[in-house]
Amino acid sequence: MSETQATELKTYLPPATLVANATVSGMAAYQALVDEAERDYEGYWARLARQFVSWKTPFTQVLDSSKPPFFKWFADGTLNASYNCLDRNIERGLGDKTAIIFEADDGAVTRVSYSELLARVNQLANALKARGVKKGDRVVIYMSMSIEGVAAMQACARIGAPHSVVFGGFSAQALRDRINDTGAVMVITADEQLRGGKQLPLKSIVDEALALGGCESVANVIVYKRTGGSIPWNASRDRWLHEELAGQPTTCEPEWVGAEHPLFLLYTSGSTGKPKGVQHSTGGYLLHAALTTAWTFDLKADDVFWCTADIGWVTGHTYITYGPLALGGTEIVFEGVPTYPAADRFWRMIEKHKVTIFYTAPTAIRSLIKAAEGNPAVHPNKSDLSSLRILGTVGEPINPAAWEWYYKHVGGGRCPIVDTFWQTETGGHVITPLPGATPMVPGSCTLPFPGITAAIVDETGNDVPNGQGGILVIKKPWPSMIRTIWGDPERFKKSYYPDDFKGKYYLAGDGAIRDAKTGYFTITGRIDDVLNVSGHRMGTMEIESALVSCTDLVAEAAVVGRPDETTGEAICAFVVLKRARPSGDEAKKIAAELRNWVAKEIGPIAKPKDIRFGDNLPKTRSGKIMRRLLRSLAKGEAITQDTSTLENPAILDQLGQTY
């Protein structure tokens, strides 16, 4: 498709009925908000912070930019995130309203009202305090999707203890590194998790992580009894959650914290080995979580909102634990996987719970397209999806064909799709359509959220004209931005406010292009060595380090991404062994060993899809690995670049063979 054709993509308009009732109704209303932010940036954010957040002590200072890039927002205001999500909704008469509809892996449904959720959160907050957890202490949460997981996050927020949730699919090593980096005093986990009918370990992985050393800060491990499976027990350290809650009062005065007090740390892969502890504030983050839920999802009092993400990722933080609850919404929390007991689980659940807003990842959509095409019985048209009014996608760009299918077969051609671009670091949506305003183009995340100054620049930080690709930046600080990397302010500056742009602009790490006619943004992929596999960021360096740490076998490894029709990107590893290059069955066996090793070191999501063996890796004369060449090999493209500098051209054939 040529550039000129690319701009002729079909445009879809939001339905008139939705426009009429939307919180941001029509493009003129969108533009008015953008203009307001442009005229009076601080005044705009201050107005919204007063509208969407309840303050114990009102703020008088909006933005403090005295020490860039360490910006502060609403710094002299005090609040509590849990009070904002629970108590204030009860105070406005929503105590009996359902806050969470929890559907377990086996289909059992539990409903919890705002009053019930608050009582649970308070009991747990009191239990944490009784175990000596105080304001500022870090708590690591290693749990699967559950009411308990959300309550644990809210209980930490209630007492001012920053939480760090670690996704339940991460390995003992990855968990150990995060406990060690945060200096956590407590881990909250479960005996096991249920996924797709299987009982999978959690508590035994926590034990393994703590045994690796460097976690001496952990005084207690609180265990939620989910399956009743047999688990090791350390009586001096381990506590059952139900026993800890027994007898705790259901009231707990919130800890009123300054707006800049860290609400949570969440680790994300960088282009260098060590994961980065992204630190978020309480006030600015909560504002954007509530605001984007109100405008991007147009959340109404009678909506049933379902975000399918896991609480281990930022999407589960912003659009499960904080955003919908801050607005007094009803939401679904789902324990299982989209393909169990069959690949129509999502559609059946939408029908059963009358879901109105559905938010999921392109990878899930692509794998469900595949399932529906192979088996008509699990096609979305077999379920009644008429309750849906808005669809959303998150985690990675959605390809136009998957967008069209989602629009037609899930939304029945009547539901706008909000293709949301944002990151762990941005705290909430930064480029997205608004469902009652923005004309949609499949594959494009369209326009910046009002108040976000997104732009595309070249390597020196100069704006590039629309129609030309470049580097995505955000030019002004915004309330929910990352505050620092925990314990490493220098790395924060280097990673996000690099000298290339004189330290002025936030660097998203993604390439993008704006349409020459519409100004719409399309994300073109990472500019650093970070892959996006099924919406999860994976640093190539991290996977390379894991492979090379298999010291008996591996001498050298290089990892690149290649396009994959289901997961978006697939991990391709080029490996040089400490022994002769294997072939045939032997190569298959070693490849399986290496995959299992990476799963153990990082987690199953980091397993390379392709493993290729060579006598050595292609390098320049100065010894740099020619990654561009490896990317071409991974894609199976004809090699067009100059390979005359290679000392051993035969390796190109070797590295073409996948195991």
Side-chain angles (χ1 to χ4, degrees):
M1 185 192 304
S2 72
E3 281 299 313
T4 49
Q5 283 171 300
T7 55
E8 305 304 319
L9 285 172
K10 193 164 175 200
T11 302
Y12 292 81
L13 294 173
T17 48
L18 200 145
V19 174
N21 300 306
T23 310
V24 179
S25 171
M27 281 308 281
Y30 165 82
Q31 201 51 51
L33 291 164
V34 172
D35 295 345
E36 180 192 351
E38 211 151 282
R39 266 194 324 275
D40 176 9
Y41 193 67
E42 287 191 27
Y44 168 84
W45 286 115
R47 171 177 78 79
L48 293 168
R50 291 186 185 106
Q51 183 185 335
F52 281 91
V53 177
S54 296
W55 299 86
K56 179 75 173 168
T57 321
F59 57 87
T60 61
Q61 186 182 27
V62 184
L63 170 62
D64 172 357
S65 44
S66 57
K67 290 195 191 118
F70 300 97
F71 300 103
K72 293 180 178 171
W73 285 88
F74 322 118
D76 60 350
T78 63
L79 73 162
N80 180 280
S82 163
Y83 171 85
N84 269 276
C85 293
L86 302 170
D87 311 60
R88 76 166 171 171
N89 287 316
I90 297 167
E91 287 163 14
R92 47 189 198 115
L94 300 179
D96 293 334
K97 182 176 178 178
T98 301
I100 294 175
I101 304 168
F102 172 68
E103 178 157 321
D105 189 59
D106 65 3
V109 174
T110 313
R111 287 182 165 72
V112 182
S113 70
Y114 273 90
S115 298
E116 288 164 337
L117 186 55
L118 176 64
R120 280 200 201 195
V121 166
N122 283 341
Q123 277 190 301
L124 184 47
N126 289 324
L128 298 186
K129 286 201 291 196
R131 288 282 168 203
V133 181
K134 16 184 230 303
K135 175 182 168 183
D137 285 344
R138 279 79 58 208
V139 174
V140 164
I141 299 172
Y142 185 63
M143 294 178 96
S144 61
M145 293 293 286
S146 52
I147 297 167
E148 284 66 24
V150 173
M153 294 163 81
Q154 289 277 353
C156 290
R158 192 134 195 117
I159 61 173
H163 54 70
S164 186
V165 185
V166 178
F167 171 60
F170 274 131
S171 67
Q173 185 64 51
L175 175 61
R176 180 260 163 214
D177 292 346
R178 287 156 175 76
I179 294 171
N180 169 270
D181 198 65
T182 55
V185 300
M186 177 183 276
V187 177
I188 304 177
T189 187
D191 49 1
E192 295 177 312
Q193 54 178 330
L194 281 170
R195 279 176 77 81
K198 295 190 194 70
Q199 292 181 204
L200 301 167
L202 284 172
K203 165 70 166 58
S204 59
I205 297 175
V206 171
D207 290 342
E208 198 184 324
L210 298 179
L212 289 168
C215 303
E216 289 69 27
S217 55
V218 173
N220 295 282
V221 175
I222 308 279
V223 186
Y224 162 51
K225 191 179 260 189
R226 171 67 187 97
T227 63
S230 92
I231 52 167
W233 199 257
N234 172 346
S236 65
R237 185 191 69 203
D238 301 342
R239 318 267 174 253
W240 285 113
L241 175 68
H242 59 273
E243 288 176 5
E244 294 293 292
L245 297 180
Q248 289 293 353
T250 54
T251 54
C252 174
E253 176 66 15
E255 181 74 50
W256 302 103
V257 299
E260 282 297 317
H261 181 76
L263 178 62
F264 63 87
L265 309 173
L266 188 54
Y267 284 76
T268 181
S269 277
S271 49
T272 55
K274 188 180 169 207
K276 300 184 283 207
V278 171
Q279 180 178 320
H280 273 292
S281 73
T282 303
Y285 169 81
L286 192 69
L287 160 63
H288 208 60
L291 177 66
T292 48
T293 308
W295 289 2
T296 311
F297 297 117
D298 191 44
L299 191 76
K300 307 282 193 227
D302 55 354
D303 273 316
V304 176
F305 178 81
W306 182 15
C307 163
T308 68
D310 191 283
I311 53 172
W313 309 115
V314 73
T315 305
H317 284 54
T318 307
Y319 301 109
I320 295 178
T321 301
Y322 292 109
L325 296 179
L327 296 178
T330 296
E331 60 179 352
I332 293 194
V333 171
F334 172 48
E335 180 177 42
V337 293
T339 50
Y340 176 82
D344 59 355
R345 180 73 182 265
F346 275 3
W347 321 134
R348 285 178 176 262
M349 281 179 63
I350 291 170
E351 177 176 342
K352 176 161 84 179
H353 301 295
K354 302 275 183 280
V355 172
T356 57
I357 307 167
F358 181 63
Y359 192 36
T360 196
T363 294
I365 297 165
R366 288 192 292 265
S367 64
L368 296 168
I369 294 176
K370 224 177 197 167
E373 285 175 353
N375 175 10
V378 298
H379 195 284
N381 63 15
K382 295 286 187 286
S383 301
D384 176 4
L385 307 181
S386 59
S387 58
L388 287 170
R389 62 185 200 91
I390 293 168
L391 300 173
T393 73
V394 60
E396 54 190 308
I398 181 166
N399 49 307
W403 192 104
E404 296 270 5
W405 186 91
Y406 191 34
Y407 185 78
K408 183 177 166 186
H409 295 289
V410 179
R414 57 172 204 285
C415 302
I417 298 179
V418 289
D419 172 359
T420 60
F421 171 80
W422 60 296
Q423 301 170 303
T424 304
E425 294 88 344
T426 67
H429 305 148
V430 285
I431 309 177
T432 177
L434 299 183
T438 320
M440 295 157 289
V441 169
S444 166
C445 49
T446 68
L447 294 168
F449 189 86
I452 302 288
T453 52
I456 298 175
V457 298
D458 61 17
E459 278 76 5
T460 55
N462 294 315
D463 285 291
V464 300
N466 287 0
Q468 241 177 279
I471 298 165
L472 180 65
V473 296
I474 300 177
K475 290 188 168 181
K476 288 182 185 171
W478 66 103
S480 66
M481 64 187 289
I482 172 176
R483 293 307 195 258
T484 185
I485 291 172
W486 177 255
D488 202 343
E490 276 313 301
R491 190 176 178 197
F492 164 71
K493 277 198 301 212
K494 251 203 256 3
S495 302
Y496 300 109
Y497 282 88
D499 290 342
D500 308 355
F501 307 146
K502 304 185 187 52
K504 279 191 178 153
Y505 298 162
Y506 166 85
L507 174 69
D510 284 279
I513 186 164
R514 294 191 79 166
D515 186 273
K517 288 186 187 163
T518 59
Y520 277 16
F521 285 77
T522 297
I523 306 295
T524 52
R526 299 289 301 175
I527 56 171
D528 54 15
D529 290 323
V530 175
L531 311 177
N532 192 330
V533 181
S534 301
H536 306 318
R537 269 167 58 174
M538 297 271 103
T540 53
M541 183 80 112
E542 217 176 332
I543 305 165
E544 286 168 13
S545 308
L547 284 162
V548 174
S549 71
C550 188
T551 45
D552 312 344
L553 272 174
V554 177
E556 205 175 8
V559 169
V560 299
R562 65 162 176 82
D564 182 272
E565 58 181 33
T566 305
T567 57
E569 242 182 326
I571 300 168
C572 180
F574 296 89
V575 177
V576 178
L577 297 179
K578 287 183 172 172
R579 32 150 297 179
R581 179 171 57 86
S583 58
D585 286 347
E586 188 190 17
K588 283 185 192 148
K589 183 172 154 281
I590 295 175
E593 253 176 78
L594 293 176
R595 283 191 184 92
N596 293 337
W597 176 266
V598 171
K600 186 171 143 298
E601 288 293 297
I602 304 174
I605 51 175
K607 273 187 188 178
K609 191 157 189 183
D610 304 349
I611 292 185
R612 304 178 178 199
F613 297 104
D615 292 330
N616 45 41
L617 293 174
K619 290 179 183 171
T620 60
R621 290 212 167 120
S622 61
K624 275 184 93 166
I625 296 174
M626 298 165 78
R627 288 178 185 273
R628 202 156 53 100
L629 184 67
L630 291 179
R631 282 193 197 98
S632 297
L633 282 170
K635 289 179 192 162
E637 294 172 347
I639 303 297
T640 52
Q641 67 190 88
D642 180 18
T643 54
S644 58
T645 57
L646 285 179
E647 53 206 85
N648 176 5
I651 62 170
L652 295 180
D653 285 339
Q654 297 173 8
L655 296 170
Q657 176 67 46
T658 298
Y659 294 97

